[in-house]
Each structure stands twice: as C-alpha cells, then as structure tokens.
C-alpha cells in the first residue's frame, strides 16, 4: 500500500502515519504500508489545496490511498470550504481510495464549548463532524476512518486512559496510538490488538486495550 496523508498536527503529532507503517511491519502476513505526508500545523484543506503543494503531490504518484484530514473545527464553522476543498483534493486522487479522517472532539471543558457552533459538548461536536464527513463521503465516493468514534468509545470504556494532551485539544501519545490503530485496521483489515509493536510513551497493556477498541469500532462500521 502506498498511502499519502494530507493534514496538520492531528496527523503529524506523535507520527500517526509512521505508527501505521510500524504496525504493518510488525504484523506477520500484513502487506507493507508505505506512508508519505504533506502536513502543516493548523492547516485546513483549503490551505493544502492552494498553498502547500498537496494537490501536485496527490496527482504526482500512484497512491493506493489518499487521506484527507480537515482542521478539526472546519466541519463545524467552515463547512462550505470543507466540502469544496475536500472535493478539489479528492478529484486529484485519480485511481486512489480517498479516506476522510474523522477527527475527535476536544476534551470536555475546553474553551471551544463556549460557542454555539461547537455544539457546546464533545458528543455534539463529534456528531457534527460525522454528519459533515458522511455528506462529503457520499458526494466523493470516499470512506470515513472513524478515529473520533474510537476516541469516544475508548473514553467510555477506558476512562483511565488520557487521550488528549495537556491543551485538551491535541493527542497524547495514547490518543495518537489509538488513531494509528484505527487507520491500520481500516487500511489492512486486520486486528492490530495482538501485534507486537512498541510505541514510545505507550505501555503494552494500554496499547492492547486501545487497539482492541480500534478493531471493535472499525469492524462495526465496516459491517
């Protein structure tokens, strides 16, 4: 697999793409997953379409998958731009499967919930993100990688695991590993739970529990 990730710090923090490749390398019988990135902190899909050269990178190689990660607030208050530029970047991905990265809600108590457009709660923030991604996926023939849904499941099942970083916004090492496990399960169709792969900042028991959540959510959503 030749996978291109387009995004921002939600992709680059703790190297989510690199963790996906590492899981594949450590999983006997899994295909090789080569990962590439066009990432810039705070970037929207609009910025990637206009300024980072992502469109040319997408069109320049025979990718098997192109991952589009919108800024986490984009589907909330810049919906028109999200749909427009997701469409433009997807159109450049001729022959590749387009994957929309479902980002997670910010932690309860984050200042974003002071504004109505956020939904005022993590559950409503995630619902809005999912609604907009569903609409885009139908229009573009894309797939949604349910990272945010897996975060919500993990927070319910394992509240002892701190998925958010200290800013209540970005991912901790645990949160990034959960994101990587969801991507791995979605891309490869294999359960990452038993894979022997050490990740900095993630203890073995926590990794096993988070990967099990990832596999459960992916299995449910893929039917």
């Amino acid at each position: 697999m030749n996978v291109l990730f387009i995004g921002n710090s939600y992709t680059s923090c703790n190297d989510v793409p690199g963790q996906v490749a590492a899981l594949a390398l450590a999983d006997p019988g899994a295909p090789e997953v080569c990962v590439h990135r066009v990432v810039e902190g705070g970037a929207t899909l609009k910025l990637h379409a206009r300024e980072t050269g992502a469109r040319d990178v997408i069109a320049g190689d025979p990718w098997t998958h192109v991952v589009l990660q919108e800024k986490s607030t984009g589907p909330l208050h810049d919906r028109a731009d999200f749909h427009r530029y997701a469409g433009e970047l997807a159109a450049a991905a001729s022959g590749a499967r387009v994957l929309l990265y479902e980002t997670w809600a910010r932690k309860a108590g984050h200042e974003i919930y002071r504004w109505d457009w956020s939904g005022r709660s993590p559950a409503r923030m995630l619902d809005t993100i999912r609604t907009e991604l569903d609409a885009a996926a139908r229009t573009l023939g894309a797939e949604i990688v349910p990272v945010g849904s897996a975060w919500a499941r993990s927070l319910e099942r394992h509240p002892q695991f701190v998925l958010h970083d200290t800013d209540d916004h970005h991912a901790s090492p645990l949160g990034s590993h959960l994101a990587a496990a969801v991507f791995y399960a979605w891309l490869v169709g294999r359960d990452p739970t038993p894979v022997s792969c050490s990740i900095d900042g993630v203890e073995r028991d926590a990794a096993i529990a988070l990967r099990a959540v990832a596999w459960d959510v992916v299995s449910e959503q893929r039917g």
Side-chain angles (χ1 to χ4, degrees):
M1 294 183 177
N2 202 27
V3 185
L4 175 64
F5 286 80
I6 306 294
N8 58 34
S9 55
Y10 276 37
T11 294
S12 62
C13 187
N14 304 306
D15 194 9
V16 170
Q19 290 192 45
V20 175
L23 284 165
L25 189 63
D27 187 1
E32 182 180 7
V33 179
C34 298
V35 295
H36 308 264
R37 312 156 184 80
V38 179
V39 293
E40 184 172 321
T44 60
L45 293 182
K46 178 180 180 178
L47 187 75
H48 280 302
R50 291 185 170 184
E51 298 182 25
T52 67
R55 191 199 303 264
D56 291 338
V57 176
I58 293 170
D61 276 279
W63 310 108
T64 57
H65 303 78
V66 173
V67 178
L68 301 179
Q69 183 246 306
E70 178 60 282
K71 187 175 181 179
S72 60
T73 56
L76 302 174
H77 63 58
D78 291 319
R79 298 177 189 183
D81 277 357
F82 162 60
H83 289 284
R84 174 181 174 181
Y85 293 105
E88 288 189 9
L89 293 171
S94 177
R97 288 167 61 184
V98 175
L99 307 182
L100 303 178
Y101 185 152
E102 180 196 73
T103 54
W104 52 88
R106 299 189 185 185
K107 190 174 181 179
H110 190 280
E111 65 177 1
I112 195 175
Y113 298 122
R114 294 187 299 174
W115 292 286
D116 287 339
W117 55 260
S118 70
R120 293 192 176 270
S121 72
R124 290 181 179 176
M125 179 176 179
L126 182 59
D127 282 347
T128 300
I129 291 171
R130 183 72 193 200
T131 296
E132 297 303 318
L133 263 64
D134 279 341
R138 289 193 298 271
T139 298
L140 303 176
E143 303 168 26
I144 300 171
V145 182
V147 174
S149 298
W151 269 53
R153 179 74 57 84
S154 179
L155 291 169
E156 292 175 0
R157 188 180 294 180
H158 303 293
Q160 74 275 24
F161 294 151
V162 179
L163 302 183
H164 293 87
D165 205 351
T166 55
D167 63 1
D168 297 340
H169 171 9
H170 290 91
S172 70
L174 291 177
S176 293
H177 188 57
L178 176 56
V182 173
F183 269 103
Y184 179 75
W186 193 272
L187 286 164
V188 178
R190 293 170 64 92
D191 184 358
T193 308
V195 177
S196 180
C197 179
S198 297
I199 302 296
D200 288 344
V202 182
E203 295 183 356
R204 180 177 179 275
D205 288 348
I208 290 171
L210 291 171
R211 293 174 195 170
V213 170
W215 182 242
D216 285 351
V217 170
V218 168
S219 297
E220 290 172 8
Q221 296 208 13
R222 298 199 79 144

